[in-house]
């Protein structure tokens, strides 16, 4: 870029006939507004420390307040300690919003330099190493701070916070706090809180094996102040200690519910028993507040008439995940409650097996849905942008306009969609049609010949290509701006779930999922704006040709998660996956969960062509890997920061590979 800037000043060597064209197409020939928009996509460290030094025009633009107002170092893995210090020195006085979330590689001394950004209004230090004393020193200098995000780790001591620090905290309106130890953190100091986000990541035991208890918080001098609270959000990791600690936070709310509370969301894996205090809290909320967003543990809603008494003003998000919510309850308590749901943007019905079916005690989970219930939902919530119907069997009946996909196609504003695999099957299996045996779904093999699996370089028409007549193809055509898509088998359970307890006994795929294969996957290629894709438990994937279609057409794809595709015990889509990866130039995150997966040279050679890849997670029971291929891959992919390989290899092989990687770094 430096040479380009100099070329504009001296074009004596350029032929006269070409000069006007060159000037009109040169980067610096664009208006300042366009250049500022382009520069807004450049990492802050590169912008200030490198691009600014290329020419005078860019030097002035790079220091424009629209660019220095907000500095994001999150996932900027090339932001070294020296670069961060220089960045703060250069533009610290202009920065009002700073995100250092996840910058775990920075030392506490470097994080302390944030105190020089005295005009900060919003600061995110989640994932940064920070002691109580260092936090006190940083916050004491930030008199204008209104939004803060921090971690509370073992050893945190609120008594070490200075008076100046507590004065700053008293002005904070928004707080995100991730707890790794039982503590109130800085919440008691934030007397004017309006938005509180709590993430409970406390382990039940310390590294030494001692059992932790929430009783460590009893007797602390201060308790949280919730009088001005408008938003309360809590997400719990598995473990009883997290439930014990969140109850102490909720105890204060149960005494006096804030009058301005508009959003109350609690995300809990597994069961979370309701207590007397939480029951009082919910009853108080039903009497005194009108909510815009609601998410509660399933045990608090199941068998309760709470929804019938809740008041909602202009709701934008509901989550009834894994609740025993029937279609009748959905119509009576959510849709037909005299509420205006045009404002509803997000709805999570994950795991609600009966939410689209009429009330019936004898109904089975695999029975057909009632299209009238889904149609009523679509009509009442026409502006939905996020919808989750996963982890349940939603089988559509036969008949024109009765299919789930046809009804969802009337929601053109959808940006994220999560569906069970069986929900996109075209039609139920007919009684007069014999089911295709598993052996027939496998790739055909000749007598006495080795199996050769692969896909042509150009997608071919026919059964494996997109079928415009399929309901799933039509659905995706009508939601062209979909950004996130999840297609997950209703019986799928990950061996290593993110925020859920692990379940060892996996169930076989739903019978209707057997008709969903390469053709349906190829239809996803219509989504030109797709950035996040999850495919799990699709037993009828044969060649992976649909994956090639996605790689060719979904050029914005950044995150890809594949699990249990094809027949168990065989990885039949390796060639298709390899061809797909060659086209995924913007892919940053890849997660593969497939038993018997062979992470060989072919796989890593294809993966190395994903030049933007930063994180790889491979989970393969009885799988194998080639250490030499891993080393070669890591040498080529310079942006990799996370590489998790859980396979069937021996412990000695894994240790040798780890040591080899550390030596190379």
């Amino acid at each position: 870029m430096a040479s380009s800037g100099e070329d504009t000043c001296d074009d004596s060597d350029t032929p006269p006939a070409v000069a006007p064209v060159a000037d009109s197409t040169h980067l610096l020939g664009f208006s300042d507004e366009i250049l500022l928009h382009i520069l807004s996509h450049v990492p802050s460290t590169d912008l200030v420390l490198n691009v600014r030094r290329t020419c005078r025009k860019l030097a002035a633009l790079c220091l424009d307040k629209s660019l220095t107002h907000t500095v994001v170092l999150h996932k900027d893995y090339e932001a070294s300690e020296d670069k961060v210090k220089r960045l703060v020195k250069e533009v610290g006085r202009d920065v009002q919003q700073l995100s250092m979330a996840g910058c775990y590689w920075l030392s506490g001394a470097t994080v302390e330099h944030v105190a020089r950004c005295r005009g900060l209004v919003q600061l995110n230090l989640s994932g940064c190493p920070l002691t109580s004393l260092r936090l006190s020193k940083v916050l004491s200098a930030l008199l204008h701070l209104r939004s803060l995000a921090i971690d509370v780790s073992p050893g945190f001591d609120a008594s070490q916070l200075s008076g100046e620090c507590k004065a700053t905290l008293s002005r904070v309106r928004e707080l995100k706090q991730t707890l790794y130890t039982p503590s109130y953190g800085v919440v008691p100091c934030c007397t004017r809180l309006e938005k509180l986000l709590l993430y409970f990541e406390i382990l039940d035991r310390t590294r030494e094996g001692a059992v932790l208890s929430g009783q460590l918080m009893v007797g602390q001098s201060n308790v949280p102040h919730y009088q001005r609270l408008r938003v309360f959000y809590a997400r719990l990791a598995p473990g009883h200690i997290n439930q014990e600690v969140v109850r102490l936070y909720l105890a204060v709310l149960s005494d006096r519910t804030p009058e301005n509370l508009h959003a109350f969301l609690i995300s809990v894996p597994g069961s979370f028993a309701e207590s007397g205090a939480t029951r009082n809290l919910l009853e108080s909320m039903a009497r005194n507040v009108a909510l815009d967003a609601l998410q509660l543990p399933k045990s608090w809603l199941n068998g309760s008439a709470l929804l019938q008494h809740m008041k909602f003003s202009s709701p934008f998000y509901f989550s009834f995940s894994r609740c025993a919510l029937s279609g009748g309850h959905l119509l009576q308590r959510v849709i037909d409650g005299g509420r205006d749901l045009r404002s509803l943007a997000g709805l999570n019905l994950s795991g609600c097996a009966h939410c689209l079916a009429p009330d019936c005690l004898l109904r089975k989970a695999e029975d057909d849905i009632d299209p009238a219930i889904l149609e009523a939902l679509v009509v009442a919530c026409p502006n939905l942008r996020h919808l989750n119907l996963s982890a349940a069997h939603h089988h559509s009946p036969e008949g024109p306009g009765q299919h789930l996909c046809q009804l969802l196609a009337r929601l053109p504003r959808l940006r994220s969609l999560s569906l069970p695999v069986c929900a996109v099957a075209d039609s139920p299996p007919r009684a007069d049609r014999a089911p295709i045996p598993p052996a027939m779904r496998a790739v055909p093999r000749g007598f006495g010949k080795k199996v050769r699996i692969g896909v042509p370089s150009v997608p071919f028409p026919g059964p494996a290509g997109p079928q415009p007549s399929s309901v799933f193809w039509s659905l995706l055509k009508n939601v062209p701006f979909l950004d996130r898509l999840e297609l997950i088998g209703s019986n799928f359970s990950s061996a290593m779930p993110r925020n859920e307890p692990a379940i060892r006994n996996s169930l076989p795929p739903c019978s209707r999922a057997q008709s969903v294969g390469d053709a349906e996957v190829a239809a996803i290629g219509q989504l030109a704006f797709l950035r996040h894709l999850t495919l799990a438990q699709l037993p009828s994937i044969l060649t992976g040709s649909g994956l090639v279609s996605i790689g060719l057409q979904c050029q914005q794809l950044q995150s890809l998660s594949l699990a249990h595709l094809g027949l168990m015990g065989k990885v039949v889509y390796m060639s298709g996956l390899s061809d797909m990866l060659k086209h995924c130039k913007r892919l940053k995150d890849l997660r593969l969960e497939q038993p018997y997966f062979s992470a060989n040279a072919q796989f890593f050679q294809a993966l190395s062509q994903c030049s933007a890849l930063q994180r790889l997670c491979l989970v393969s029971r009885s799988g194998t890997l080639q250490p030499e291929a891993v080393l070669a891959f890591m040498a080529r992919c310079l942006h990799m920061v996370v590489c998790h390989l859980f396979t069937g290899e021996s412990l000695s092989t894994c240790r040798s590979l780890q040591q080899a990687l550390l030596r190379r770094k």
Side-chain angles (χ1 to χ4, degrees):
M1 188 169 285
S3 60
S4 298
E6 294 170 0
D7 290 343
T8 61
C9 301
D10 184 9
D11 56 358
S12 57
D13 296 333
T14 306
V18 182
V21 178
D23 289 341
S24 63
T25 58
H26 196 279
L27 175 66
L28 298 184
F30 291 117
S31 65
D32 288 355
E33 289 76 12
I34 295 178
L35 287 175
L36 287 173
H37 178 73
I38 294 173
L39 293 173
S40 67
H41 295 277
V42 179
S44 300
T45 50
D46 281 340
L47 189 72
V48 175
L49 303 180
N50 298 325
V51 180
R52 186 166 69 94
R53 289 169 167 74
T54 57
C55 68
R56 292 181 181 179
K57 183 171 184 177
L58 290 180
L61 290 176
C62 288
L63 294 181
D64 189 89
K65 289 188 176 181
S66 65
L67 299 179
T68 59
H69 172 275
T70 301
V71 172
V72 179
L73 301 178
H74 175 55
K75 293 185 179 179
D76 185 359
Y77 298 107
E78 296 183 3
S80 63
E81 307 227 1
D82 179 63
K83 287 183 178 180
V84 173
K85 292 177 182 177
R86 290 165 55 197
L87 177 68
V88 170
K89 183 179 180 180
E90 295 276 357
V91 298
R93 63 185 178 277
D94 299 323
V95 180
Q96 295 188 28
Q97 299 180 9
L98 174 61
S99 174
M100 301 176 68
C103 294
Y104 56 87
W105 61 89
L106 299 179
S107 66
T110 300
V111 176
E112 201 172 302
H113 279 67
V114 173
R116 297 186 180 184
C117 306
R118 296 183 178 273
L120 275 179
V121 176
Q122 182 176 331
L123 175 62
N124 190 335
L125 296 176
S126 298
C128 295
L130 212 59
T131 63
S132 307
L133 291 175
R134 280 210 162 98
L135 177 65
S136 178
K137 185 175 180 179
V138 170
L139 297 185
S140 297
L142 306 180
L143 304 181
H144 305 286
L145 195 66
R146 295 297 181 269
S147 177
L148 176 65
I150 59 169
D151 293 348
V152 177
S153 302
F156 180 86
D157 186 358
S159 64
Q160 296 180 343
L161 303 179
S162 65
E164 294 83 359
C165 173
K166 292 180 179 178
T168 296
L169 289 170
S170 68
R171 295 185 287 269
V172 168
R173 301 287 191 273
E174 299 180 3
L175 176 65
K176 175 188 174 185
Q177 190 170 258
T178 304
L179 296 165
Y180 294 97
T181 187
S183 172
Y184 286 120
V186 300
V187 175
C189 302
C190 303
T191 56
R192 300 182 184 179
L193 269 185
E194 296 179 3
K195 184 177 182 180
L196 178 60
L197 310 178
L198 297 170
Y199 295 79
F200 296 86
E201 301 284 346
I202 311 169
L203 298 177
D204 289 340
R205 294 177 179 269
T206 64
R207 291 185 177 182
E208 292 75 24
V211 179
L212 287 177
S213 171
Q215 296 301 315
L216 296 175
M217 299 168 59
V218 176
Q220 291 187 11
S221 56
N222 296 320
V223 293
H225 299 269
Y226 294 141
Q227 289 83 356
R228 303 186 181 207
L229 203 62
R230 296 175 58 86
V231 177
F232 181 90
Y233 173 81
R235 193 191 74 185
L236 283 67
H240 76 277
I241 181 64
N242 292 306
Q243 297 186 10
E244 187 177 351
V245 173
V246 78
R247 289 185 192 277
L248 296 175
Y249 278 84
L250 294 174
V252 182
L253 270 178
S254 63
D255 292 337
R256 180 183 175 186
T257 306
E259 297 177 356
N260 295 323
L261 190 66
H262 284 269
F264 186 78
L265 305 105
I266 300 181
S267 175
V268 182
S271 60
F272 185 25
E274 186 180 20
S275 64
T278 56
R279 193 176 302 110
N280 293 336
L281 169 62
L282 297 176
E283 292 175 356
S284 176
M285 286 169 50
R287 291 193 307 267
N288 303 319
V289 300
L291 295 175
D292 294 331
L294 177 67
Q295 178 176 356
L296 296 175
K298 62 179 181 180
S299 55
W300 295 12
L301 283 175
N302 289 347
S304 168
L306 177 66
L307 284 179
Q308 212 163 6
H309 303 291
M310 280 285 185
K311 295 187 289 290
F312 301 96
S313 52
S314 299
F316 63 85
Y317 178 75
F318 286 146
S319 177
F320 306 113
S321 177
R322 302 191 183 280
C323 293
L325 185 72
S326 68
H329 292 155
L330 187 66
L331 291 174
Q332 298 167 11
R333 301 178 183 178
V334 180
I335 298 177
D336 292 338
R339 305 173 182 120
D340 183 4
L341 293 180
R342 288 176 297 177
S343 60
L344 195 67
L347 179 61
N348 185 356
L349 295 173
S350 171
C352 298
H354 307 285
C355 66
L356 299 180
D359 299 333
C360 180
L361 297 177
L362 301 178
R363 183 185 183 274
K364 298 179 181 179
E366 296 81 5
D367 290 344
D368 291 347
I369 64 171
D370 184 350
I373 296 175
L374 181 57
E375 185 174 14
L377 177 64
V378 170
V379 172
C381 313
N383 299 317
L384 271 179
R385 296 171 62 88
H386 312 283
L387 178 61
N388 191 338
L389 293 173
S390 63
H393 297 271
H394 294 312
H395 297 169
S396 300
E398 290 190 277
Q402 302 287 298
H403 200 281
L404 178 142
C405 290
Q406 293 173 318
L407 295 171
L408 294 184
R410 294 159 59 180
L411 297 173
R413 292 181 174 86
L414 279 177
R415 295 297 179 269
S416 70
L417 179 62
S418 183
L419 294 174
V421 175
C422 55
V424 305
D426 263 0
S427 61
R430 288 165 42 184
D432 60 344
R433 183 185 303 162
I436 302 175
M440 296 295 292
R441 296 192 189 98
V443 178
R445 62 177 70 187
F447 178 77
K449 295 182 180 180
K450 295 183 178 180
V451 182
R452 185 179 184 275
I453 300 171
V455 295
S457 57
V458 179
F460 53 87
Q467 298 177 355
S469 60
S470 73
V471 290
F472 186 55
W473 190 94
S474 301
L475 166 62
L476 299 185
K477 180 183 178 181
N478 285 277
V479 288
F481 300 107
L482 209 62
D483 171 81
R484 181 186 298 270
L485 176 64
E486 294 182 345
L487 204 57
I488 304 174
S490 48
N491 291 331
F492 174 72
S493 59
S494 173
M496 300 184 68
R498 291 183 176 91
N499 292 309
E500 295 285 339
I503 302 176
R504 291 188 178 274
N505 51 336
S506 58
L507 298 174
C510 173
S511 59
R512 289 206 189 182
Q514 303 288 350
S515 61
V516 179
D518 292 306
E520 285 72 21
V521 172
I524 299 173
Q526 300 176 81
L527 303 176
F529 299 96
L530 189 68
R531 294 195 301 168
H532 309 278
L533 175 62
T534 298
L535 300 174
Q537 203 179 41
L538 279 77
S540 293
I541 295 295
L542 299 181
T543 63
S545 58
L547 297 176
V548 183
S549 177
I550 295 174
L552 286 169
Q553 301 178 67
C554 301
Q555 290 296 302
Q556 304 295 324
L557 194 64
Q558 297 181 11
S559 174
L560 176 64
S561 177
L562 305 176
H564 292 206
L565 303 186
L567 296 174
M568 295 299 291
K570 297 180 181 180
V571 184
V572 297
Y573 61 92
M574 176 65 85
S575 181
L577 176 62
S578 298
D579 284 349
M580 174 196 190
L581 293 175
K582 296 174 184 177
H583 306 288
C584 297
K585 301 303 180 183
R586 298 190 180 184
L587 190 66
K588 294 182 178 180
D589 296 86
L590 176 63
R591 177 185 170 90
L592 288 173
E593 184 171 342
Q594 187 77 35
Y596 304 98
F597 190 89
S598 176
N600 53 24
Q602 176 195 359
F603 167 70
F604 282 110
Q605 177 65 33
L607 192 59
S608 64
Q609 298 187 51
C610 301
S611 54
L613 194 67
Q614 295 180 346
R615 287 169 291 275
L616 169 65
C617 180
L618 173 61
V619 181
S620 180
R621 177 175 52 85
S622 303
T624 60
L625 62 85
Q626 294 180 0
E628 298 79 10
V630 177
L631 294 173
F633 160 72
M634 292 295 288
R636 287 191 295 266
C637 291
L638 303 179
H639 298 291
M640 283 289 297
V641 293
V642 175
C643 183
H644 288 163
L645 303 175
F646 302 96
T647 66
E649 294 291 347
S650 65
L651 183 60
S652 60
T653 301
C654 295
R655 284 178 175 172
S656 300
L657 177 58
Q658 184 182 40
Q659 292 171 1
L661 288 171
L662 291 175
R663 284 195 299 269
R664 292 197 176 191
K665 289 295 181 181

